[in-house]
Amino acid sequence: MSYLFLQQYWWFLVSLLGALLVFLMFVQGANTMIFSLGRTEEERRMIVNSTGRKWELTFTTLVTFGGAFFASFPLFYSTSFGGAYWLWMIILFSFVLQAVSYEFQNKLGNLLGRRTFQTFLIINGLLGPILLGGAVATFFEGSNFVVDKMNLADSLQPVISRWANGSHGLDALLNFWVVAFGIAVCFLARTLGVLYIMNNVNDENIRSRGSVQLIGAAVPFVVLFVVYLIHLLLKDGFAYNPQTGEIMMVPHKYLDNFIEMWYLAVLLLVGVALVLYGVVRTMVSKTYIKGIWPVGIGVVITVLALLLCAGLNNTAYYPSTADLQSSLTIENSSSSEFTLRTMFYVSFLVPFVLAYIAYAWYSLDKKKIDKEEMKEEDIY
């Protein structure tokens, strides 16, 4: 195993975790529709109990995603999580709101009321996907940071990377394409959320409303995603010379990546096809409620293809708009070969963890949530 192979292997694992995180944001998407899908208090309790049994998976995947990035590409972690900390703090705060809302909305002595905590779930459902989607978009659009490894010799302030302005990440929201992609991810989360609730909650009224809400979520997502994908394939990209490490701008870099790595283009097309199949079939069939599975698999495949395109084939996955040569690549930002090699063997445990998650999911979903269950036990 060469050093480059280990770097690419860990970029694949980080990309896979990112793709799984995007899929698991169906929890956030469903929570934004608590009041549109659930018209009565009982219906809203069914929706909250449905997402409440899965929210830990989303949060755990987010933490694992950050941990994997820290272990395999520490310079990205210190640059993005340390420099753009206002952006990440807002994301984490919204997830704290989510956890608090699930825990306390039905507690005795709740002075704020259940509706207030359900509103907190909606805030997390909007902010989480938009800001996380925007963070992913910076892999293609760039961020405003500077890296200077010579600062390690500074005994007073040995900080390698710093943000080039005082916004600490919030400046990304001034980029139209970053915001557009973030909103696209938000509509994707709402699409996944509707499909999940239709599959997991056994209530005809909720499923009927879900068919209508699906149109309002899926159509904007498809439009925004197609527009961004066209922009991505036509824009200049950030490449680097593997011999010298020099960063340069290359016309149509991401289009070239999909052409040269044709298997990623195939993955992207298959993923998009699965998403469209699941959405369209759910729209046209009154009895089909399993759309979350083809759409979910399609989302994971599509996001995986995009993230691999961002880092492979001599591409800078975290470009700097302040100093081009500060851009991060999988080669100049990774851990040592010893660390990556050691973690390579540890990663063999991942399939067992995924198998446990799949088993836990299956056990939780053996019985669909219905009104009778709410009478017996109201968890959230």
Side-chain angles (χ1 to χ4, degrees):
M1 292 182 294
S2 67
Y3 191 18
L4 180 60
F5 168 81
L6 292 169
Q7 291 167 329
Q8 293 175 340
Y9 173 79
W10 276 101
W11 180 252
F12 169 79
L13 285 189
V14 168
S15 298
L16 181 59
L17 285 171
L20 290 172
L21 175 61
V22 173
F23 162 64
L24 291 172
M25 281 197 292
F26 68 77
V27 172
Q28 279 64 41
N31 284 340
T32 64
M33 298 184 170
I34 292 174
F35 296 109
S36 56
L37 291 178
R39 299 295 171 81
T40 67
E41 191 60 40
E42 187 177 43
E43 290 173 347
R44 288 192 284 270
R45 285 206 309 271
M46 285 192 287
I47 294 170
V48 172
N49 274 268
S50 178
T51 60
R53 298 177 185 185
K54 301 295 190 307
W55 76 270
E56 292 99 334
L57 296 178
T58 309
F59 188 76
T60 302
T61 305
L62 174 62
V63 174
T64 305
F65 174 72
F69 240 136
F70 170 73
S72 52
F73 301 99
L75 188 52
F76 167 81
Y77 189 89
S78 64
T79 301
S80 181
F81 289 78
Y85 59 80
W86 280 122
L87 179 64
W88 289 107
M89 284 298 292
I90 294 174
I91 292 173
L92 292 176
F93 177 73
S94 76
F95 276 89
V96 171
L97 277 182
Q98 179 196 55
V100 170
S101 299
Y102 280 123
E103 182 67 25
F104 292 104
Q105 62 180 281
N106 285 333
K107 293 292 185 181
L108 293 176
N110 173 14
L111 299 178
L112 297 178
R114 177 181 290 174
R115 195 179 186 92
T116 299
F117 283 109
Q118 290 175 347
T119 302
F120 287 164
L121 291 178
I122 295 175
I123 292 173
N124 167 252
L126 293 173
L127 281 182
I130 289 176
L131 295 182
L132 282 172
V136 171
T138 60
F139 287 4
F140 302 102
E141 305 300 327
S143 294
N144 203 7
F145 64 90
V146 175
V147 174
D148 186 0
K149 294 184 179 181
M150 294 302 295
N151 281 344
L152 281 175
D154 188 342
S155 59
L156 297 178
Q157 195 174 12
V159 179
I160 296 177
S161 55
R162 60 179 175 81
W163 217 250
N165 56 44
S167 69
H168 295 290
L170 295 181
D171 52 307
L173 301 179
L174 298 178
N175 185 313
F176 171 81
W177 292 109
V178 169
V179 175
F181 191 79
I183 295 175
V185 172
C186 181
F187 278 114
L188 171 61
R190 287 170 65 87
T191 301
L192 291 166
V194 172
L195 293 171
Y196 172 74
I197 294 298
M198 291 178 67
N199 178 254
N200 191 245
V201 177
N202 186 18
D203 185 89
E204 289 303 318
N205 291 328
I206 291 178
R207 286 174 176 170
S208 176
R209 296 186 197 113
S211 298
V212 177
Q213 293 294 329
L214 181 60
I215 299 174
V219 172
F221 160 66
V222 171
V223 171
L224 286 170
F225 179 75
V226 170
V227 170
Y228 186 82
L229 185 60
I230 293 173
H231 157 73
L232 179 66
L233 296 178
L234 297 180
K235 75 184 295 290
D236 294 346
F238 300 82
Y240 70 93
N241 187 318
Q243 278 74 44
T244 64
E246 179 186 5
I247 312 294
M248 64 199 81
M249 299 299 297
V250 175
H252 309 144
K253 171 59 177 172
Y254 302 108
L255 175 60
D256 291 341
N257 280 358
F258 280 117
I259 293 174
E260 295 171 16
M261 298 184 290
W262 57 268
Y263 45 89
L264 293 187
V266 173
L267 275 181
L268 181 67
L269 292 175
V270 170
V272 171
L274 284 172
V275 171
L276 293 177
Y277 167 78
V279 169
V280 172
R281 184 173 177 185
T282 304
M283 287 180 179
V284 300
S285 174
K286 293 183 179 180
T287 59
Y288 184 71
I289 60 172
K290 297 182 179 180
I292 182 63
W293 300 117
V295 173
I297 294 171
V299 166
V300 171
I301 293 175
T302 301
V303 176
L304 178 62
L306 289 174
L307 291 178
L308 290 177
C309 175
L312 299 181
N313 198 35
N314 302 327
T315 309
Y317 71 86
Y318 198 50
S320 171
T321 56
D323 175 29
L324 188 60
Q325 300 310 313
S326 293
S327 301
L328 303 185
T329 71
I330 63 172
E331 294 190 52
N332 69 14
S333 64
S334 71
S335 295
S336 66
E337 183 175 0
F338 173 78
T339 301
L340 295 182
R341 188 180 298 275
T342 303
M343 294 194 304
F344 171 81
Y345 296 110
V346 175
S347 69
F348 290 162
L349 297 174
V350 171
F352 296 97
V353 176
L354 293 178
Y356 171 76
I357 292 174
Y359 174 75
W361 186 301
Y362 171 76
S363 299
L364 288 171
D365 284 358
K366 279 184 177 179
K367 183 180 182 298
K368 304 293 184 184
I369 292 177
D370 54 23
K371 293 180 180 179
E372 291 300 318
E373 185 175 351
M374 292 300 98
K375 294 176 183 178
E376 298 172 1
E377 180 182 15
D378 185 12
I379 302 174
Y380 296 109

